[in-house]
Amino acid sequence: MKKLLLIILVFSWTIEAAWAQKRWSLADCVAYAIDHNLPIKRQDILVAIKNLDQEMARRERLPAVGGYFNGYSTFGHSQDVFGTIRRNDNFNSNMGINAEVTLYQYNYLRNQAKKATLQSEQEELEKGILKRDLTLKVVQSYLEVLLSQALVQAQDSAINFSLQLLDKAEKSTAIGASAPAVVFEAKANLAREKQQFQQYHKEAQQAKLTLAQYMNYTDYHTLIVDDPVLEAEVFKMEINRSTSDLIPAAFENNPVLAKLENQLLEFEVEAKLIKAADYPMVKGSASLGTTYFNAFKVPNERLFFVQTKDNFAQQIAVAVTVPIFNKGKTKRQLQQLNLRKKEIGLLGDHEKQQQVQILEKLQLDWVESKQQYEISTEAFAATQESLAYSKLSFMAGKASIYDINTSKNNLIKSESEMIRARYNSLFSLLMLHYQVSGDIKFSNHIH
């Protein structure tokens, strides 16, 4: 038993360690967030409820079948039509089976089933909206983590460079080749680099915490974010199509527009349901039953089973209900429905307008960020080269530590701008692709 417990513990620790060392790609984070998001889980329940409503609405067209049994006794005196007062003690009962079905009501039951189907689809579309909003948040947070991690790594390199300068300054001062002020300047610069490193590290942890919260992931410290394939795929893409060419696909993959269109279809069905109130309703019914009567103290009273057999009867009936006046309710309900259609139309136009504006902004951001990234890459390479010459001059004693610090600070600033431009370009292109294709993977090309 102890060996079994030990094996289970070791296995659990192994799984936990493997999970903690997992490198999370963007697709992994999005999938995990969707699977563990409570509003989406709640929406799954609402979808299941609407599916049951849909099933019940379809079954409304079937006959309603029920059985009945009634029994009652009467005790006391009563007076007949001739004025004779006599004792009237008896027992009555009836039992049977009846069925009722709606034969006609302007296709009310069929339209009711259609409405339930459309409402079920609306809950599915609402789930798509929740997934879309969550995906956008996760993507943005994920890229913010990548950006902050890149800045931390760049600042770590700056610290290593400052450590080398400090070591060189201390050695140079020890042999009297440099003034003590050079060491103090190197130490001060190293402290500033460490301070900046801590700031970047703080921002990286905050970005990781935000991502973990969107994912509903319990321990953000163990969240290792790394997706080298993502950047390689994104920067391979070129979008040569104009915004007007991308709009139809974006509209098609917009779940908000799909939900609004579904609501318009529901209103069409709702109008038919309202109009049904002005049409006759025809119901058919059939029943099989029997009765029993027993007047107490009457000689030769027939037995229960004999009498119920003799009184057995069937009945078929048709009932017609004709509406005459409902105080104008139908007319006003249809007017309300037309107003709601106009409202949905305006909401759809507003959503399309926002979608176009988002596409225009993302495409502009991508073009500008891409150009900025290309320019900052060239600037970084040139600044790197300048720092290399400054370092050689410092080692030869021809440049002061202030000169090399200036070159190093220029390089850090240039690298920071290059990293930010890179991830701004990455974010804009990824978001543009997602808005058009509805997919964070680049299986659906938009170029």
Side-chain angles (χ1 to χ4, degrees):
M1 185 65 179
K2 292 182 178 179
K3 290 183 178 179
L4 179 61
L5 290 174
L6 181 60
I7 293 174
I8 293 174
L9 288 174
V10 171
F11 180 75
S12 301
W13 289 335
T14 303
I15 294 296
E16 184 176 356
W19 187 261
Q21 295 175 358
K22 173 181 172 64
R23 294 186 175 274
W24 292 79
S25 67
L26 177 60
D28 292 335
C29 291
V30 171
Y32 187 94
I34 292 174
D35 290 341
H36 294 79
N37 184 263
L38 297 181
I40 292 178
K41 288 184 177 182
R42 173 182 176 271
Q43 195 62 32
D44 287 332
I45 296 175
L46 296 178
V47 170
I49 291 173
K50 287 299 180 181
N51 287 337
L52 292 175
D53 287 342
Q54 176 187 1
E55 187 176 345
M56 288 188 290
R58 288 177 176 175
R59 289 174 176 266
E60 282 295 319
R61 289 178 284 182
L62 299 176
V65 181
Y68 63 89
F69 176 82
N70 298 312
Y72 60 91
S73 293
T74 302
F75 301 95
H77 295 85
S78 64
Q79 180 177 328
D80 59 21
V81 294
F82 302 104
T84 305
I85 299 175
R86 63 179 63 186
R87 189 78 181 177
N88 185 18
D89 300 333
N90 60 70
F91 172 76
N92 284 274
S93 70
N94 56 76
M95 59 182 178
I97 298 175
N98 61 6
E100 185 179 70
V101 63
T102 300
L103 300 176
Y104 176 77
Q105 197 184 3
Y106 192 63
N107 292 327
Y108 182 86
L109 296 179
R110 181 183 299 175
N111 290 324
Q112 196 174 39
K114 287 182 180 179
K115 180 181 177 181
T117 301
L118 291 170
Q119 288 179 338
S120 177
E121 292 174 356
Q122 281 187 34
E123 295 298 340
E124 285 284 358
L125 292 170
E126 185 64 34
K127 178 181 176 182
I129 294 173
L130 292 175
K131 290 172 65 175
R132 180 174 182 255
D133 292 342
L134 180 61
T135 299
L136 290 173
K137 292 176 181 178
V138 170
V139 169
Q140 183 174 2
S141 297
Y142 189 92
L143 293 180
E144 286 177 355
V145 173
L146 292 181
L147 169 61
S148 58
Q149 288 181 165
L151 291 174
V152 167
Q153 293 173 0
Q155 192 62 29
D156 185 61
S157 299
I159 290 176
N160 290 332
F161 186 83
S162 295
L163 285 171
Q164 294 175 8
L165 286 181
L166 177 60
D167 181 66
K168 172 65 174 60
E170 288 177 339
K171 290 179 179 179
S172 177
T173 302
I175 61 175
S178 300
V182 174
V183 176
F184 292 123
E185 174 62 21
K187 287 182 178 181
N189 191 68
L190 177 61
R192 288 191 293 268
E193 298 297 349
K194 288 182 177 180
Q195 183 181 12
Q196 185 61 53
F197 176 85
Q198 185 58 38
Q199 179 63 32
Y200 284 152
H201 184 270
K202 175 186 174 182
E203 292 174 358
Q205 293 302 308
Q206 288 175 338
K208 190 180 291 188
L209 174 61
T210 301
L211 175 62
Q213 289 174 343
Y214 284 136
M215 293 171 57
N216 201 15
Y217 189 76
T218 53
D219 187 7
Y220 76 95
H221 295 286
T222 61
L223 192 62
I224 302 176
V225 174
D226 184 27
D227 195 347
V229 178
L230 172 68
E231 297 186 39
E233 286 186 344
V234 170
F235 284 107
K236 285 180 185 176
M237 291 190 61
E238 289 289 340
I239 300 179
N240 300 318
R241 297 165 62 185
S242 63
T243 303
S244 58
D245 295 330
L246 300 176
I247 287 174
F251 286 174
E252 183 180 353
N253 291 289
N254 188 319
V256 176
L257 291 176
K259 182 182 178 182
L260 294 175
E261 291 174 1
N262 185 274
Q263 286 179 341
L264 288 176
L265 295 176
E266 182 188 351
F267 289 159
E268 294 294 333
V269 177
E270 182 69 26
K272 295 179 181 179
L273 292 173
I274 293 173
K275 291 177 182 178
D278 289 339
Y279 286 79
M281 181 174 64
V282 182
K283 286 190 175 183
S285 62
S287 62
L288 305 173
T290 183
T291 60
Y292 173 75
F293 176 79
N294 184 356
F296 297 125
K297 299 181 180 180
V298 175
N300 301 321
E301 183 67 45
R302 289 184 298 167
L303 298 175
F304 175 80
F305 291 105
V306 175
Q307 190 177 154
T308 52
K309 180 181 179 182
D310 293 341
N311 294 341
F312 184 76
Q314 305 87 31
Q315 183 183 47
I316 297 177
V318 176
V320 181
T321 303
V322 180
I324 297 176
F325 178 67
N326 66 351
K327 298 176 285 189
K329 182 178 179 180
T330 302
K331 178 181 178 180
R332 284 156 181 79
Q333 285 180 331
L334 290 174
Q335 290 175 344
Q336 287 179 333
L337 200 62
N338 288 330
L339 292 174
R340 292 171 66 188
K341 286 181 181 179
K342 291 181 180 179
E343 179 195 10
I344 294 299
L346 291 174
L347 290 175
D349 292 340
H350 179 64
E351 180 64 27
K352 289 179 180 179
Q353 185 182 60
Q354 285 189 319
Q355 181 73 77
V356 172
Q357 291 174 353
I358 290 172
L359 292 178
E360 290 175 341
K361 182 179 184 303
L362 287 173
Q363 198 158 22
L364 175 63
D365 288 345
W366 172 63
V367 172
E368 294 297 327
S369 297
K370 182 181 178 183
Q371 292 178 352
Q372 182 67 27
Y373 175 61
E374 292 173 354
I375 294 172
S376 60
T377 301
E378 294 177 3
F380 175 71
T383 310
Q384 214 172 17
E385 208 171 308
S386 173
L387 178 62
Y389 283 114
S390 296
K391 186 178 180 180
L392 291 175
S393 298
F394 177 75
M395 295 299 182
K398 295 182 179 180
S400 68
I401 192 170
Y402 302 102
D403 295 330
I404 197 170
N405 280 339
T406 300
S407 298
K408 180 182 66 82
N409 291 334
N410 290 337
L411 179 67
I412 293 173
K413 181 181 178 182
S414 176
E415 185 176 15
S416 175
E417 291 175 351
M418 181 186 67
I419 292 172
R420 293 184 187 279
R422 176 180 178 84
Y423 282 100
N424 286 338
S425 177
L426 176 65
F427 176 76
S428 300
L429 188 56
L430 182 57
M431 284 295 94
L432 184 60
H433 176 83
Y434 182 72
Q435 291 286 341
V436 175
S437 67
D439 189 4
I440 60 171
K441 298 179 181 178
F442 294 92
S443 54
N444 299 324
H445 297 294
I446 62 173
H447 53 281

